[in-house]
Amino acid sequence: MALSFPAGRAGTKDGTSGGPAGGASGSEGGTPRKGSPRDSAPLRRKKNRARLRTAGFLSPWLIGFSVFFAYPLIATVYFSFMHYNQIKSPTFVGLKNWKYVFTQMPLFGPSLWNTLWLVVVMVALRVVFGLGIGLLVTKIKSGVGIFRTIFYLPYLAPPVAATVAFVFLLNPSTGPVNELLGHLGIDAPTWFNDPHWSKPSLVMLSLWGIGDLMVIFMAALLDVPKEQYEAAELDGAGAIGKFRYVTWPSITPIVMFAVVTGVVQTMQYYTQALVAGKLASGVNIGPGSVIQPGYPDHSTITVPQLVYSMGFQNFNTGAACVLSLVLFAIAMAVTLLLMRKSTGLLTED
């Protein structure tokens, strides 16, 4: 005999999920449905507390990022489209500052070339010398502390004091370096007084203070597992093979760190080049004197020096902001290029 169910209760044998009555009894007597007012309010309060707690932990970084990076960057972009002499209110001039920097500023080309030259040559040689000294010190059996101290001490010297000492050592008339080269029969260059030798002299100054990279590379080299060297020796690898297949893959992230930080620091190269040029020129630097950078023949002028000159000596804030944005764009582009796994220093695991 066939069974028939009343209308509105079809669908299940117990009649609890078919019609309106069944749906009401299921929600009243069982677990509240997802999204119902009874369970959504406590869940929202819990999520809000979690968000506030996360924001509290992030607040020091968020404040620092906003005050020291986001706001200055936005302000720099804003003033790059303004005529602003730091006295009168800024007025909008469109792309005139950009056109002036790229087409009418005579020192933009030399300063950009000098900055990029220093980035390529100085960063590369600092990494190579730092790694080489780190390898040398880690291989020394006795007196390691003495050699570490000797190589690290020049890095502790203040930049201005180190530059003054280096300019004195390389003085073409009275410097001990040229006197020693003269006794050896070598025709010594004029170093900071020669446009062709001024940038190499700055590179030598940076290599003199190589202690920071030496310490970083020493820590990375000592962290390479000795078992890998032993396995490489069993496979017949020599010194070059062990460095290529064991040491280099292990220290690649540290090399990447050294290159990226070196690029960023060299893009901001200012003090040493300015002080060396002024001392080599023989101009007395006194209170109220205006320093024109780039001696000799604009061979040591860098973009940061031009930014300072335009912004705080000529009061052309718009052009200075354009130069700052150019520096920022180049630094970001080089960093992204280096960090790409296909074209940079990073490799696939």
Side-chain angles (χ1 to χ4, degrees), residues 33-316:
R33 288 183 179 180
K34 184 178 180 181
S36 64
R38 286 202 299 169
D39 70 330
S40 59
L43 184 60
R44 282 199 302 269
R45 287 196 297 269
K46 183 177 180 180
K47 290 182 178 179
N48 290 335
R49 286 196 299 268
R51 293 191 185 101
L52 290 175
R53 185 165 55 251
T54 303
F57 284 117
L58 289 175
S59 59
W61 180 86
L62 291 174
I63 295 173
F65 177 82
S66 302
V67 174
F68 298 108
F69 181 79
Y71 170 74
L73 180 60
I74 295 172
T76 302
V77 175
Y78 171 78
F79 284 114
S80 68
F81 298 101
M82 298 290 172
H83 173 71
Y84 181 48
N85 59 5
Q86 303 177 21
I87 300 176
K88 298 181 180 180
S89 299
T91 56
F92 182 76
V93 294
L95 296 175
K96 288 185 178 180
N97 290 325
W98 294 82
K99 182 179 179 181
Y100 169 72
V101 169
F102 285 102
T103 61
Q104 301 177 15
M105 183 179 290
L107 295 180
F108 175 68
S111 65
L112 184 61
W113 163 252
N114 293 335
T115 303
L116 295 178
W117 190 97
L118 290 172
V119 166
V120 174
V121 178
M122 185 180 294
V123 173
L125 290 180
R126 276 180 57 84
V127 171
V128 172
F129 271 70
L131 180 57
I133 295 176
L135 285 169
L136 176 65
V137 174
T138 54
K139 300 298 181 182
I140 296 176
K141 302 299 182 182
S142 60
V144 178
I146 298 176
F147 285 100
R148 271 200 309 242
T149 304
I150 292 174
F151 286 118
Y152 189 74
L153 274 179
Y155 175 73
L156 299 178
V160 175
T163 306
V164 171
F166 218 75
V167 172
F168 169 75
L169 292 174
L170 298 180
N171 189 292
S173 301
T174 59
V177 174
N178 279 20
E179 289 185 0
L180 177 61
L181 293 177
H183 289 307
L184 297 177
I186 300 175
D187 188 11
T190 54
W191 304 110
F192 289 105
N193 295 87
D194 188 346
H196 301 289
W197 279 94
S198 56
K199 287 190 288 294
S201 301
L202 292 174
V203 173
M204 293 172 58
L205 172 61
S206 69
L207 296 179
W208 181 60
I210 200 67
D212 56 335
L213 289 184
M214 178 202 69
V215 172
I216 293 174
F217 283 126
M218 280 182 57
L221 292 169
L222 294 174
D223 197 44
V224 179
K226 295 183 179 180
E227 294 79 5
Q228 296 184 9
Y229 288 117
E230 296 174 356
E233 289 181 358
L234 292 176
D235 290 338
I240 298 178
K242 286 189 290 185
F243 178 82
R244 178 181 178 183
Y245 296 107
V246 178
T247 306
W248 181 256
S250 300
I251 67 172
T252 298
I254 307 302
V255 176
M256 178 68 190
F257 170 80
V259 172
V260 171
T261 55
V263 168
V264 174
Q265 292 173 359
T266 311
M267 293 291 290
Q268 305 173 40
Y269 199 71
Y270 177 84
T271 303
Q272 293 88 337
L274 181 66
V275 174
K278 287 291 97 183
L279 291 175
S281 66
V283 177
N284 292 326
I285 304 175
S289 61
V290 178
I291 301 175
Q292 296 297 333
Y295 180 86
D297 295 337
H298 308 302
S299 61
T300 59
I301 188 171
T302 57
V303 178
Q305 296 180 60
L306 197 57
V307 170
Y308 179 84
S309 177
M310 295 301 298
F312 298 100
Q313 292 180 346
N314 299 321
F315 299 103
N316 191 344

Side-chain angles (χ1 to χ4, degrees), residues 306-348:
L306 197 57
V307 170
Y308 179 84
S309 177
M310 295 301 298
F312 298 100
Q313 292 180 346
N314 299 321
F315 299 103
N316 191 344
T317 305
C321 290
V322 172
L323 293 170
S324 301
L325 291 174
V326 170
L327 270 182
F328 176 75
I330 294 175
M332 286 294 297
V334 173
T335 302
L336 292 176
L337 181 65
L338 290 172
M339 296 185 68
R340 288 185 60 184
K341 292 186 177 181
S342 58
T343 59
L345 291 175
L346 296 180
T347 57
E348 297 288 347

